[in-house]
Amino acid sequence: MSTHALALDVYGTLVDPLEVKHKLQGLVGEQAEELAAVWRQKQLEYSFRRGLMDLYEDFSVCTAQALDYAQDHCGVSLAAEERQQLLEQYQELAPFPDVIPALETFAAQGYKKVAFSNGHPDQVRQLLSYGGVLAHLDGVISVHEVEVFKPAPRVYQYLLDQLGTPGDRTWLVSSNPFDVIGAKAAGLRAAWVKRAPGALFDPWGIEPDLVVADLKELAQRLGT
């Protein structure tokens, strides 16, 4: 086996952040899907901007500020209690159905498996415990200790340092193209989990080593 460490992104890869649209439907009706999408888009944008500006704040700050923007964008006003419920919903996202079976296969194949996230480590553990995923992982590695977000190069070096593995024996697994490109640029191997058939990969000339539809397919591909 040529690799032995898998670093799995959390939001969008292990759990679906757009799942909050179901909670939103009871609050904002037909605007739920748009609000959820804008919320996620701005959450990531704010992490990128904070990284460039050296104005690090916990990822939960990016999430809360992005929700406030999304409200304004969609022309809705949530009560303080409703807003807090939505933020708490981010800690209660269910894993995609392929996640736990794939993690069991990765374990049988001998891979070390960690969650690798922009989120605060305590919040990531809480989230993954809620969905029953944490017990199938060997640990959680967060950018919080580095105080900059993906795709900054030093977060991937921090990952390698924590794992104790070289880049060519470490896979970054993510549904987020920016994460895959960041990992490849830092010398890791990377698999893009193309969960949506219509998803596009950024045309930077930096390609993933593997493209898979879900984690079960990745386990099959890595096992061959």
Side-chain angles (χ1 to χ4, degrees):
M1 188 176 295
S2 61
T3 61
H4 76 258
L6 298 171
L8 299 116
D9 172 61
V10 175
Y11 295 100
T13 306
L14 298 181
V15 301
D16 184 4
L18 297 183
E19 187 183 303
V20 295
K21 69 185 178 185
H22 302 303
K23 178 73 173 179
L24 281 165
Q25 284 171 346
L27 300 175
V28 300
E30 63 184 19
Q31 291 176 289
E33 190 164 346
E34 180 186 9
L35 199 154
V38 173
W39 185 5
R40 173 62 172 165
Q41 176 189 350
K42 283 294 176 178
Q43 179 196 50
L44 292 175
E45 180 187 327
Y46 289 172
S47 71
F48 298 154
R49 286 162 59 177
R50 286 189 174 278
L52 288 169
M53 297 168 69
D54 286 330
L55 289 177
Y56 178 81
E57 293 283 355
D58 187 284
F59 195 58
S60 63
V61 173
C62 298
T63 302
Q65 291 175 340
L67 175 57
D68 293 338
Y69 177 94
Q71 288 186 73
D72 291 342
H73 174 86
C74 294
V76 301
S77 181
L78 298 169
E81 181 180 351
E82 294 171 335
R83 178 180 181 274
Q84 184 59 35
Q85 288 174 353
L86 286 170
L87 293 174
E88 290 173 357
Q89 185 75 23
Y90 249 82
Q91 297 302 113
E92 298 178 351
L93 299 172
F96 289 103
D98 56 286
V99 169
I100 291 178
L103 290 175
E104 292 173 343
T105 302
F106 293 143
Q109 292 170 337
Y111 286 97
K112 182 175 184 179
K113 315 162 303 302
V114 299
F116 178 47
S117 177
N118 275 339
H120 189 286
D122 292 342
Q123 293 176 335
V124 173
R125 290 188 184 95
Q126 178 185 337
L127 170 63
L128 297 178
S129 292
Y130 173 84
V133 175
L134 188 63
H136 297 274
L137 294 168
D138 299 306
V140 171
I141 297 176
S142 166
V143 306
H144 185 65
E145 297 301 324
V146 190
E147 295 195 342
V148 70
F149 296 108
K150 302 174 185 180
R154 66 179 184 270
V155 305
Y156 301 102
Q157 185 57 54
Y158 176 72
L159 170 68
L160 296 178
D161 292 343
Q162 293 297 300
L163 287 171
T165 54
D168 63 358
R169 298 185 67 198
T170 305
W171 283 87
L172 183 282
V173 181
S174 180
S175 66
N176 299 299
F178 73 85
D179 196 8
V180 172
I181 291 172
K184 288 293 294 178
L188 283 70
R189 305 190 76 182
W192 180 37
V193 184
K194 187 180 178 182
R195 289 202 173 275
L200 298 176
F201 198 83
D202 299 299
W204 281 32
I206 301 175
E207 301 296 332
D209 295 284
L210 288 174
V211 178
V212 295
D214 57 29
L215 296 184
K216 290 178 72 173
E217 182 183 349
L218 179 64
Q220 294 170 355
R221 299 278 297 276
L222 292 180
T224 58

